[in-house]
Amino acid sequence: RSSDLQDERLARMGESETKPTPGSRLGIQPSGGISTLEHGHRPPASPAGRLVPFKVLMLDDTQETFEVPQRAPGKVLLDAVCNHLNLVEGDYFGLEFQDHRKITVWLDLLKPVLKQIRRPKHVINFVVKFFPPDHTQMQDRKS
């Protein structure tokens, strides 16, 4: 009996085995397009849009320029600054700017940067938001 199963497996190896797709099991005709749900395929990337430069005043009073897509949320800009500084724990830092009433406010990480900062020529400040009372809580000794 086991030799019959082995013979059957060897016979199948020579044949090209096609796996049924979810649609074929339901009797749906195959589509000519690519499904983003199929393994190995990704949906097309959304267009980044034009890059907008933002000047950021760092903690050591140097000024750096970072370019982010025009519709990018604040988190993209903060991540760019943290990556530039090789910071692992960006949660302890933030970006602040002066709004149209000259009031200093935090950059909202979820909203698009350009919706918050109307004139990107203004300087954004990279600042420490808070620090843990016990410095041993930090994962990165450089932060």
Side-chain angles (χ1 to χ4, degrees):
R1 176 111 168 110
S2 69
S3 65
D4 290 340
L5 288 175
Q6 283 181 335
D7 290 343
E8 190 176 319
R9 283 186 201 142
L10 290 173
R12 284 188 197 167
M13 288 179 133
E15 300 172 9
S16 65
E17 193 172 298
T18 58
K19 293 183 179 180
T21 63
S24 67
R25 288 188 301 237
L26 297 173
I28 298 173
Q29 294 296 321
S31 162
I34 297 174
S35 169
T36 57
L37 301 177
E38 291 176 17
H39 180 69
H41 294 286
R42 294 182 183 186
S46 59
R50 69 179 174 94
L51 294 178
V52 180
F54 291 97
K55 295 176 186 172
V56 178
L57 184 66
M58 309 305 271
L59 293 172
D60 62 356
D61 289 331
T62 60
Q63 198 170 3
E64 299 285 342
T65 302
F66 297 91
E67 291 185 339
V68 296
Q70 66 181 4
R71 294 185 191 102
K75 176 120 177 73
V76 172
L77 181 57
L78 180 61
D79 287 347
V81 176
C82 290
N83 288 339
H84 173 75
L85 296 171
N86 295 322
L87 287 176
V88 176
E89 297 173 335
D91 295 337
Y92 296 110
F93 302 92
L95 298 170
E96 61 182 21
F97 65 98
Q98 286 190 347
D99 67 3
H100 64 280
R101 297 170 295 183
K102 303 287 185 199
I103 297 172
T104 302
V105 295
W106 291 105
L107 183 71
D108 188 325
L109 300 181
L110 300 177
K111 293 181 183 176
V113 180
L114 273 182
K115 294 241 179 185
Q116 299 176 67
I117 302 172
R118 301 286 184 203
R119 295 186 181 129
K121 293 179 179 163
H122 289 133
V123 177
I124 302 166
N125 297 316
F126 179 69
V127 294
V128 177
K129 275 200 299 192
F130 61 89
F131 57 93
D134 180 12
H135 66 85
T136 59
Q137 291 178 350
M138 296 180 75
Q139 294 174 5
D140 184 14
R141 297 184 85 75
K142 293 178 187 175
S143 294

